[in-house]
Every structure is written in C-alpha cells, then in structure tokens.
Amino acid sequence: MTRPVHILLVDDNPNNLKVLSEAIQGYGWKALMATDGESAIEQTEYAIPDLILLDVMMPGIDGFETCRRLKANPITENIPIIFMTALADAKDKVKGLEIGAVDYITKPFQQEEVIARLKLHLKISHLTRTLEESVQKRTAELTQSLHNLQQTQLQLIQSEKMSILGQLVAGIGHEINNPIGFIAGSLSHIEEYTNSLLSLISLQQQKFPDSDPEIEDLIAEIDLEYIHEDLPKLIKSMSQGINRLKDISLSLRTFARADISSQVEFQIHEGIDSTLMLLKHRLKGSGNRTEIKVVTEYGNLPPISCYPGQLNQVFMNIIANAVDAFDETDHQYFQQTSSQPTIHIITSVDSQRENVIISIRDNGCGMPLEVQARIFEQSFTTKPVGKGTGLGLAISHEIIVNKHHGNINCNSTLGDGTQFTIILPINYCG
C-alpha cells in the first residue's frame, strides 16, 4: 500500500491552518500542523513530511531560523520548504531562497495557487528522489562491476604468473639438477683421489727425503706444503657450494609449486624457509645498509589444506617489501637507535585449533595512516616508477581472502615498523 503524501503546515494563525488543511485533505493528502518553529522542527524529525508550508512571521523562532535548522539536520535537509509570507520585500524572498526554500506563497493566498505549487514541488521532489535512487543504483552496479573486473584481472595475473613461474622453475630444475648431480658425484671421487695422491706424496717424502734437486725446485715453486693444506679446504668449499645449489633448487621447487587446480596438504614452514632461502642474497649487508637479521619463532603447526605456490608468493611479497623498506630507510636511522634491521616471523595455532596465524614484523620506519589504508588497493604503490607495480599486496589479499577464505591485515606505526598478520583455516576446502 502506497503511503499518502504528508504535508506539514506551520502557521501561528488557526484560521490559515484550517483553510489549508481542508484544501489539502480534499486532494487525498494528509495534513500535519504546527503553530511555531520549535514544534515544527520536532514534528518534522519523527514524521518526515513530504513537503513543508512554513510561515515566516511566527512567535519564538521565525520561519527563516526554522528553515536554517531543518536544512542543517541530515534527517530533514532534503524536505522541500515553501514559505508563506505577507512580506513583499524582494530581499526577504531572496533570503529565504538562499537558506534553502524552494518557493514562496504570498498572503493572502489563493487556494488554487497553493494547490498548484504544492503539486509542482511534490512532483519535482518525487522526480529528484527517483533520479537519485537511479543514480545510486547505477553507481552501485558500476562499482560492483569494477570490483568484479579488478578481481578477475588479479586472478588472471596471478594464474599467469604462477603458470609461467612453474614452467620456468621446472625448466631450470631440469637443466641444473643433472649437472649438479654429476658434479656432486664426481666431487666425492675427486676428494678420494686427492686424499690418496696427497698421502702418496707424504709417504714418498718420508721414504725418500733426499730427492732430486729439480724435484726440490718444483716443490718450492708450487708450494707443495700450501697445496697439501689448502686443497682439502677447496674441495670442502666446493662440496658446500653444491649443497647450496641443491638447497636453492629444492627451494625453487617448493616455492613455485603451482597447485592451482586443487588444494594439497602443505607445511607452512617449508614455504617460509624456501622464501627466505631465495631472498638470502638480499638479506646480506650492502653499501651503507647492515645485514638484515631474520628471527623465526615457529609454533607446532599442522599441515594445512591450501595452494602452496600461491601462499609462498604472499610470503615473498611481504618479506621482499620489508627488505625494500629497509633499503629505502636512511642507514643513520638504525645507527641512531642502535638497532639492527630485523624481520621477525612468528607462527602459531589459535586456541580453537581451527586456524594458523603467521605474523611477519619488521622494525623499519613504518607507514603513515593514509598509506596503510590503501596498501591492498590494486595499482597503489609508494615506490618510484619502475620499482613497483602496486599488484603485490593486492594479489596477496586476493590469495588469502578469496582463494583461502582467510584474513590478512596490516598494522604500522611511523618510527616503529610494520606488522602483517595472516590467518588461514587449517582444513578449508575451497
């Protein structure tokens, strides 16, 4: 059932109220009445009339002040107000229009004129509301469409990046694993052969201490004693290098697992460790910046059902951003505070054992509130042109919230660092 039109009549003259009320009710409109400005304001707030006929000259606050108060109130500011006045001064009419009235009716009024003006402004008010509703609806539709488009773009970018990364890592792994295996196998034989040769030389020197002068000259020239001491160290260093290459290869495979089509059981700590391994070169000191210390406090986490490659990308984005922040921080900041650039990673399970919690905190210079409020927006970046795309944290938010039904938030204070907290369900099945 359609609500009848309500018109508030405000006049200190009972005869005027009676005449106007009868005229209004004859058109099926409902009349509300007030005899002063204070009661008109009070009645308007709870009755919300469709239009107000307001007398200018009244006891207490006049019509102009009543209009000002109604227009200053968000609840009543959009109700059209028509002044009724016996004043013929153009300045008074202009004054009323400036403070928000939509029209004037001059006393003594003609009933036909009053009804005609009421119809006109009720129609204008209805059209205005309809237009505003249409605009709001269309704006909401466009906003949702834009949001859906941005989400689709992020998902396409994410899928493409993971696909390319998976193919790249698979190719690199295939290319380097074979020579690594060959070198590692050969190195064990080289170590054995070297030890045998050095033992033979030592034994020969013991059995034949007086050797040929030419041999003695060569021994001095090549510094046999130094070779005897350094060669095992070289072989040990080569072995450590091979192990390092194996670790990097394993970290690449762990980091770039492109389990896009289905979720798998995954230990979060493996992903964090592989990320730190790949960023190890950036954690070392360079130039004026000292080495970045990484402190890990791992809780007893169960494997969780997830897309490992995507979660590893989130860890990479957040930790790499922390390193970037240290690179951009004046090195004197840490000298003055006698502190070392540090990234603190803490993992735990919540009290209900339904979620894992990952906290990644740095002690950098922090972010202002206006930057913090926008960090998950697509294409928003504070980095110089060519240094960042503004997609890293937007994709991270997409991965955590939409792909894993988790939560990610940031808490940062200028001069006191930044902390990202990630909450992931243990047994979520997407």
Side-chain angles (χ1 to χ4, degrees), residues 263-403:
Q263 293 175 301
V264 297
E265 293 288 309
F266 181 64
Q267 173 53 254
I268 290 292
H269 297 154
E270 293 181 14
I272 297 173
D273 289 341
S274 69
T275 303
L276 293 173
M277 172 68 75
L278 296 178
L279 286 173
K280 193 169 185 179
H281 68 288
R282 295 199 60 199
L283 299 172
K284 296 177 180 179
S286 61
N288 292 326
R289 197 202 71 197
T290 58
E291 179 181 1
I292 298 173
K293 181 181 179 182
V294 177
V295 178
T296 57
E297 294 182 29
Y298 289 165
N300 185 19
L301 301 190
I304 71 169
S305 179
C306 66
Y307 300 93
Q310 296 183 21
L311 286 186
N312 291 339
Q313 188 176 358
V314 174
F315 302 145
M316 176 65 76
N317 288 336
I318 294 175
I319 298 173
N321 278 350
V323 176
D324 290 340
F326 287 131
D327 288 342
E328 295 165 8
T329 301
D330 188 343
H331 70 283
Q332 293 181 350
Y333 169 81
F334 292 102
Q335 292 178 347
Q336 292 169 356
T337 57
S338 300
S339 59
Q340 180 180 1
T342 303
I343 297 173
H344 206 137
I345 304 173
I346 303 174
T347 64
S348 61
V349 179
D350 67 6
S351 57
Q352 292 78 29
R353 299 198 65 81
E354 294 177 350
N355 303 286
V356 298
I357 303 170
I358 305 107
S359 167
I360 302 174
R361 185 178 77 244
D362 67 65
N363 63 340
C365 57
M367 293 181 285
L369 288 176
E370 58 270 21
V371 171
Q372 189 178 162
R374 300 186 60 192
I375 57 172
F376 294 118
E377 291 182 14
Q378 186 174 346
S379 300
F380 175 76
T381 180
T382 58
K383 297 176 182 177
V385 176
K387 295 289 186 179
T389 63
L391 292 175
L393 290 177
I395 288 176
S396 297
H397 187 275
E398 165 73 16
I399 290 170
I400 297 298
V401 176
N402 294 332
K403 294 291 290 184

Side-chain angles (χ1 to χ4, degrees), residues 199-213 215-216 219 224:
S199 297
L200 174 62
I201 293 172
S202 297
L203 180 61
Q204 186 175 16
Q205 287 180 324
Q206 291 175 11
K207 297 294 184 180
F208 304 99
D210 299 324
S211 59
D212 185 86
I215 294 176
E216 291 294 332
I219 289 175
L224 181 60

Side-chain angles (χ1 to χ4, degrees), residues 92-362:
D92 289 319
K93 293 184 177 181
V94 170
K95 178 181 178 182
L97 294 172
E98 285 179 343
I99 62 176
V102 297
D103 205 350
Y104 262 93
I105 295 175
T106 305
K107 296 180 179 179
F109 46 75
Q110 298 294 322
Q111 183 172 313
E112 293 80 6
E113 179 188 3
V114 173
I115 296 301
R117 290 179 185 267
L118 291 178
K119 285 183 177 179
L120 172 64
H121 289 290
L122 285 171
K123 184 175 182 180
I124 292 173
S125 178
H126 173 72
L127 291 173
T128 301
R129 286 197 304 272
T130 302
L131 178 60
E132 288 175 349
E133 289 171 0
S134 298
V135 170
Q136 290 175 356
K137 181 180 179 182
R138 184 59 178 156
T139 300
E141 291 173 351
L142 291 174
T143 301
Q144 185 60 43
S145 296
L146 177 60
H147 175 74
N148 293 341
L149 177 60
Q150 289 177 333
Q151 294 302 109
T152 302
Q153 287 176 329
L154 282 177
Q155 291 172 1
L156 288 173
I157 293 170
Q158 166 67 13
S159 298
E160 186 66 19
K161 286 180 68 175
M162 292 306 298
S163 175
I164 293 173
L165 185 58
Q167 294 174 18
L168 179 63
V169 170
I172 292 175
H174 179 73
E175 291 298 323
I176 69 174
N177 280 341
N178 286 337
I180 287 176
F182 171 76
I183 295 173
S186 300
L187 192 61
S188 63
H189 295 299
I190 290 174
E191 183 177 14
E192 180 184 350
Y193 299 158
T194 300
N195 290 334
S196 298
L197 289 173
L198 292 176
S199 297
L200 174 62
I201 293 172
S202 297
L203 180 61
Q204 186 175 16
Q205 287 180 324
Q206 291 175 11
K207 297 294 184 180
F208 304 99
D210 299 324
S211 59
D212 185 86
E214 187 176 351
I215 294 176
E216 291 294 332
D217 291 341
L218 181 59
I219 289 175
E221 181 181 343
I222 65 174
D223 196 350
L224 181 60
E225 184 177 353
Y226 176 77
I227 291 176
H228 196 284
E229 178 183 346
D230 194 53
L231 189 54
K233 294 180 181 179
L234 287 177
I235 293 174
K236 184 177 180 181
S237 296
M238 291 170 66
S239 179
Q240 290 173 344
I242 292 297
N243 290 332
R244 165 82 173 148
L245 282 173
K246 287 180 178 179
D247 290 341
I248 292 174
S249 177
L250 178 61
S251 295
L252 279 171
R253 291 199 302 274
T254 302
F255 177 81
R257 290 177 63 179
D259 303 296
I260 297 172
S261 59
S262 62
Q263 293 175 301
V264 297
E265 293 288 309
F266 181 64
Q267 173 53 254
I268 290 292
H269 297 154
E270 293 181 14
I272 297 173
D273 289 341
S274 69
T275 303
L276 293 173
M277 172 68 75
L278 296 178
L279 286 173
K280 193 169 185 179
H281 68 288
R282 295 199 60 199
L283 299 172
K284 296 177 180 179
S286 61
N288 292 326
R289 197 202 71 197
T290 58
E291 179 181 1
I292 298 173
K293 181 181 179 182
V294 177
V295 178
T296 57
E297 294 182 29
Y298 289 165
N300 185 19
L301 301 190
I304 71 169
S305 179
C306 66
Y307 300 93
Q310 296 183 21
L311 286 186
N312 291 339
Q313 188 176 358
V314 174
F315 302 145
M316 176 65 76
N317 288 336
I318 294 175
I319 298 173
N321 278 350
V323 176
D324 290 340
F326 287 131
D327 288 342
E328 295 165 8
T329 301
D330 188 343
H331 70 283
Q332 293 181 350
Y333 169 81
F334 292 102
Q335 292 178 347
Q336 292 169 356
T337 57
S338 300
S339 59
Q340 180 180 1
T342 303
I343 297 173
H344 206 137
I345 304 173
I346 303 174
T347 64
S348 61
V349 179
D350 67 6
S351 57
Q352 292 78 29
R353 299 198 65 81
E354 294 177 350
N355 303 286
V356 298
I357 303 170
I358 305 107
S359 167
I360 302 174
R361 185 178 77 244
D362 67 65

Side-chain angles (χ1 to χ4, degrees), residues 45-78:
E45 287 184 346
Y46 71 79
I48 313 295
D50 298 283
L51 187 144
I52 301 173
L53 274 176
L54 179 60
D55 189 20
V56 173
M57 305 300 293
M58 294 184 298
I61 62 173
D62 63 11
F64 293 138
E65 179 60 23
T66 302
C67 182
R68 285 193 192 93
R69 295 189 187 182
L70 289 171
K71 293 300 176 182
N73 187 339
I75 299 174
T76 60
E77 63 179 346
N78 293 321

